[in-house]
Amino acid sequence: MFRWPNSVCHYIPVALSPGASFTLVMNSALAGGNKGLFRTLAGTALGIYTHAFFIGLGITAVLISSPAAFAVLKVTGTVYLLWLGAMLIRSGITVSSGGSTGARHSVTLKEAWLANVLNPKAILFYLTVVSQFAGTKGGVCNYFILASVHIVVMSIWLFAITQTLIFSAKKTNPIMMKKYVNIVGGMMLIAFSLHSLIY
């Protein structure tokens, strides 16, 4: 049985776990300001609700039980995250060379959603970790409650971090800040994706 507040309170530290979405939000906040931040958060939230819906219906468990199907998803997700990482690095290099300041890679809502939905780590995270907090019978409703907690905690945390980042960019050289955040963020995204493929 799902018990509100114990399950939720223990789930909050899990919701703060860093991942690929953290990198995308940092980039979007610098490239597009609060508009870019909220767009990426919305895409990530849709991805989290998608995972909650699939695992609540048992679709995720069926997918994981098929090694071939999960392997295809794993490779597809890894390639997509690698592409996003390469775009971030390219954007950072363009900024550092005096070219366009790279509005292109303020991440779109669709890209943020796909990055979350296709991320093998996120799929396994919801199946193995989040399911421990959903009660003995699970169910879509319980997973949606946990997904909502995840989204609220994540949004508050990332909003606070990105506001600090945006404020710092205004006080320093914003072009250089974008350069470092894009390049380092792209490298981190590539590292996350390769780690998901290997492990």
Side-chain angles (χ1 to χ4, degrees):
M1 180 179 179
F2 182 81
R3 290 175 295 193
W4 175 264
N6 288 339
S7 293
V8 173
C9 289
H10 286 94
Y11 178 68
I12 287 176
V14 176
L16 289 173
S17 302
S21 296
F22 180 87
T23 301
L24 296 179
V25 167
M26 294 298 105
N27 168 264
S28 291
L30 273 184
N34 285 330
K35 184 177 180 180
L37 164 65
F38 292 132
R39 185 168 55 243
T40 305
L41 283 178
T44 302
L46 287 175
I48 292 171
Y49 277 128
T50 301
H51 285 302
F53 181 72
F54 284 162
I55 193 172
L57 292 180
I59 295 173
T60 302
V62 172
L63 177 64
I64 297 295
S65 67
S66 171
F70 185 64
V72 170
L73 179 63
K74 193 172 184 179
V75 171
T76 302
T78 299
V79 170
Y80 184 72
L81 290 176
L82 285 172
W83 176 79
L84 276 181
M87 291 300 100
L88 290 181
I89 293 173
R90 180 184 176 186
S91 177
I93 293 173
T94 301
V95 170
S96 66
S97 63
S100 167
T101 55
R104 162 68 188 101
H105 252 88
S106 174
V107 178
T108 66
L109 185 145
K110 181 180 179 181
E111 287 173 338
W113 176 72
L114 284 173
N116 192 276
V117 169
L118 294 177
N119 187 346
K121 288 290 185 182
I123 296 170
L124 291 174
F125 173 77
Y126 258 78
L127 185 66
T128 60
V129 178
V130 179
S131 59
Q132 298 178 32
F133 300 91
T136 54
K137 294 184 179 180
V140 175
C141 183
N142 287 353
Y143 281 107
F144 267 38
I145 291 173
L146 288 171
S148 297
V149 172
H150 188 165
I151 291 165
V152 170
V153 173
M154 174 196 71
S155 297
I156 293 172
W157 166 244
L158 290 179
F159 182 79
I161 294 296
T162 52
Q163 292 312 297
T164 302
L165 186 65
I166 292 172
F167 178 79
S168 299
K170 291 178 180 178
K171 296 296 182 180
T172 59
N173 185 333
I175 300 299
M176 292 301 292
M177 179 72 80
K178 287 181 182 180
K179 167 190 172 181
Y180 291 122
V181 168
N182 286 358
I183 292 176
V184 173
M187 293 173 66
M188 288 177 62
L189 201 56
I190 288 173
F192 284 140
S193 58
L194 290 176
H195 186 269
S196 297
L197 182 64
I198 296 172
Y199 296 99

